[in-house]
Amino acid sequence: MKMLRAFNVLCIAAGLATTAPAIAAPLNPSPAYDANLVVQVRGCHRDVERHYVPEFGRPAWHYHRPNCRPVQVPPPGAGVGVRDCHRDVRRHFVPGYGRVTHRHVGPNCRVRVYSQFNPGRPRPANCIQIGPVRYCEY
């Protein structure tokens, strides 16, 4: 038992002797501030969303231009209505249609509903694959 205790003390002493002292300074200094440095929180999106925007320094309702610059817009229901007008295919509730897989087209954001592909019907030209399921615009 005394041998085991002596061996444990020897191991602890060896471990403490071989460790390097801790330093308070960071090992890799951060890069200098650059005005052209782009910090993306959720990426560039064309739909109106509310989250933190580094250019504004706070959360805001906004969308991004093609060059990823944010454009602030009024919140939904504040006079000017913010429309849910996305061009990519998504599944969510649409008034008048229910919860459907769809996208919006044209300047007035018409709804184009996508249905699950039916092998018995002719395949339309506009189809997408989401996981194992294929959706087509009928």
Side-chain angles (χ1 to χ4, degrees):
M1 195 59 139
K2 289 184 181 181
M3 292 285 277
L4 183 61
R5 201 174 284 166
F7 180 71
N8 288 339
V9 170
L10 182 62
C11 287
I12 292 172
L16 291 175
T18 59
T19 59
I23 57 173
L27 296 176
N28 295 331
S30 62
Y33 174 76
D34 183 9
N36 295 329
L37 185 64
V38 176
V39 179
Q40 291 186 356
V41 176
R42 290 188 185 168
C44 296
H45 49 88
R46 293 184 188 177
D47 302 330
V48 176
E49 294 182 12
R50 186 181 193 297
H51 59 81
Y52 179 80
V53 183
E55 288 85 352
F56 301 150
R58 59 184 168 72
W61 287 97
H62 69 284
Y63 68 93
H64 293 269
R65 292 184 179 154
N67 64 358
C68 286
R69 295 279 182 205
V71 177
Q72 189 170 1
V73 295
V80 179
V82 177
R83 296 167 58 179
D84 176 31
C85 187
H86 50 87
R87 306 298 183 196
D88 55 333
V89 178
R90 296 184 186 173
R91 181 176 178 85
H92 62 83
F93 179 80
V94 179
Y97 294 90
R99 184 172 172 80
V100 293
T101 304
H102 69 284
R103 70 183 181 104
H104 299 271
V105 295
N108 61 355
C109 294
R110 287 188 321 262
V111 175
R112 291 275 174 92
V113 177
Y114 279 69
S115 301
Q116 191 167 347
F117 175 65
N118 183 355
R121 295 175 67 180
R123 182 178 176 203
N126 208 359
C127 291
I128 63 159
Q129 186 88 20
I130 301 177
V133 180
R134 182 180 303 268
Y135 291 94
C136 297
E137 182 181 337
Y138 287 107

